[in-house]
Amino acid sequence: MKVHRLALAFLRERKARTALTTVAIAAAVCMVIWVSSSYEALHKTYDEFSNLALGRYELTIAPTSADENDFVAPEVLQPLREDPAVAAVDPMRAKRIAIQNSNRIPASPSTSPGPGDGPTGLLPSLMFMATDATEAPFDLSEGNWIASEPSSPQVVLRADVAERRQLHLGDWLTVERPRPDDDAQDTLALEIVGFLDAPPTPKLGVGSIPMLTPSFGEAFINVALAEDILGEPFQISLLGVSVQDQADITKFRFGWATRLNRYETPLQFQEAYEIEEALDQASEAENVRLQSYAATGVAMLVAMLVTFCSLSMGVTERTRQYAVLRAIALTKWQITWLIVLEGVVLGAMGLLTGVLVGWGLLQIVEQFFGGLLHHGILLGGRSLTLAVLASLGGSFLASLFPAYKSTCVKPLDAVAPLHQTQISRSPGWFRLVLGLSLIAVNPLLTFAFPPNESSVGLVMAVGFLCSSVGFFVTAPSLVVWVDRYVGPAIARGLRIDPKLLTSQITSHLWRTVGAAIAMAFGLGLFVGIQVWGFTMLESFIPGNWTPDAIVMLRPGLSPTEAERLANHPDVDSQRCLPMVVEQPRLVEDLTHSAERPSIVRQDNLVIVGLAPERALLGDHPLLTLEWVAGDPRNAVKQMQNGGACIVPDHFMEETGLKLGDSISVSPPRNAGNKVSYVIAGVVKLPGWHWQTKLTGLRTRTHRAAALVLADYDSVASDFDLPMASHVWFSYANENPDVDSIQTFASDLVHRSIADDAFQQKTTPTQTMDESSTDNLAKVVSVQDIRNHLDVTARRWIWVISYIPLISLLIACLGVLNVMLASVRSRRWEFGILRSIGFTSSDLSRAILVEGLMIALVAGLLALGFGILSGWCGSGMAQYMSFFGGLHPPLVIPWLPIIGGFSLVLLLGVGIAAWPAISIGRSRPMDLLQSGNEFS
């Protein structure tokens, strides 16, 4: 009990220090609560979805593998239907089917306007569910369920899908057949007869959950219609099972579980709680969960550093008191427990304060900004657990070394003169060489000896650990260098006697190192995120190889008519080519997308057909490419002969193909057939991903392995593309009238539609909705894509940069404690200096410069660690990140980095302002009366 009273008394003795440490820990706890509460809210959303995902079914049965090529054996149907516990069993086929523009072209802008504005996230396909169920799987919000024998093909849409695509009852939805039917028709119009009130599918990021439920269907049709569209017999993707009211679901599942595993394709039950678990493992939940863990780790380190500074100073100041306590009252282990208890009490006070403040902030945000939060805000047990881990865990770890240090105090130390820290003016060459050697480990493991995918996690951990230790080991040498060379220069600039600054930061070397590392931690993470983010971004910004713009044509033009766009005065007639585009699947999984999909590991390609000679040769080719293998003339010759293509260099690296090898793809409109292209050249195409994303070049799905260039006639013939869907062109001058070009292109399409209608003896209004004539063409500028991508990427990079900046501000509270303790221990020295002629202004400026030099050390450590970590992190991302594989060059965004460095310097001066003003206002006699506490 006496130890507890002593711990509280010591904390009350230094009220300012205790308050600052508590505030710092509370701020760290608030950061944890803010980030982790978003995961709690996301988990609540998934819980609500999982309770509605099965609709009127209590269970579903699907293949265990979740592979789209695995199906439920038809033999399972009859035994299930004969089970007395089963009320109904409805087989369903899930298949994504391409659709064409509906009877109206969407004109509303996306929620995030950018190049190629349109309804956000609308793929040119829908997930269709084919079923002969007599009842709708969900309640109908409008219209009717599919008729048993409809007079025309019918479809029922999920209500949110219809709203996003601006479809209404009675509208017609046109689907594309994977194979033309007997009448050579490759499309079919379906009448929309109803809307289902089904829960919208949660956003799952770059991945998806390994589970299929009725709610994942966006459009519902009957089985006969599905067989007609797909041109193949009906196969069962999942079974919707309704049980009798009095049936015991648990007993039913237990009885059927072993039977389902006996089939050639093993099957499994799916219930609401299993869907929730699967959603919780999806990519978005995983990302938010990782963010909460990262915030907890950062908060724990910050709390540990701040608490460590506070306790270490306390141990140094109270050495004599501990010696007296050892002599008269306490054992060594009681002294240890005293220090640990101080740290735990500080953590507990910070935890309580942080939870209360964090909860209040969440309530304020929900009250005023609740409508902007997709998942809302929730403070639950998980957030509190992470907050406890960050505060109490960090404080406990911080107390271990000071507690050990206190055990070294002997009873005789109570009467012995206190040991003065030896002033170090040597850079410590051995320590410096050792630190630099450890720092070099990370880039060597990343670039000189790159890891394989199985060991990348271990290699990355070893590399970053070596870097961290290396910078820690070199920190004392950096402090000595700043003290020896920078201090005198600053003193001369501020007209301070250099002797006032001599050894001020090296006299207590490890205290200075601890304060600098505390500040460097947050800035280092910030710099690392900025370097990593902008380096990764470099691969996605369209390069100079691409022309100025692409015009999307709806529904398209003949090649001859598309060429007329060159007649516009703002279009460069020599650099204007019509294009045909398709997105076929690879016959073989050359990129190994089934093993680990990524931005460059996909099972399909975007293949563009255009005139090769005008695109690649001449004084003003359309594309100015950097060739990695092959040459333009030979490539053009092969492309003109047909069946040849040009591919990006990253595709060759992922697939292991060589110049002259072939790529085989399956035409979407003639599934089952195979078309091959010989690789005639390899080029660099930086930024093709976003260019194809925002210009409608991804016609089938939202990702592709590569952008492939081929000749116009081959692509048009192989993929049955009679119309040019795009025109790639450059501007004729620096200030083009883009609206005029778009209007000119729209007029070309409008006249083409009118001519076709005249030839078919119909009116244009029968072919096209007049309200949509302004949307027949859309010009997308490449510079607009660059600007859009740059703004979007910067926003997200800064979103993840706020945690390091907050941790930097929190760490400053700990550094302030260090400065206050440092100045307090030198009050007698300051009194002597005042007595021999130094003014209060001289001493105040000297203290400010001391804070500036500590901040300078922190800034230099952070710059080195951050740039190296960001560079190596982007290198490691090539082997483990979904967005890796493009191997971008190092990009250092100097503007935000210089801003962060300047912020640290300002904070260093600001931290020193309080003790500087305090010393400046003190009289010499008051300073001398403080006595020399360390003599």
Side-chain angles (χ1 to χ4, degrees), residues 873-889:
S874 62
M876 287 293 181
Q878 308 309 310
Y879 308 103
M880 59 186 301
S881 171
F882 182 85
F883 296 99
L886 297 173
H887 303 283

Side-chain angles (χ1 to χ4, degrees), residues 41-63:
L42 183 67
H43 194 275
K44 180 183 177 183
T45 300
Y46 288 168
D47 180 47
E48 294 172 350
F49 171 81
S50 62
N51 290 330
L52 301 173
L54 298 181
R56 64 182 178 87
Y57 304 106
E58 287 79 20
L59 297 166
T60 58
I61 297 175

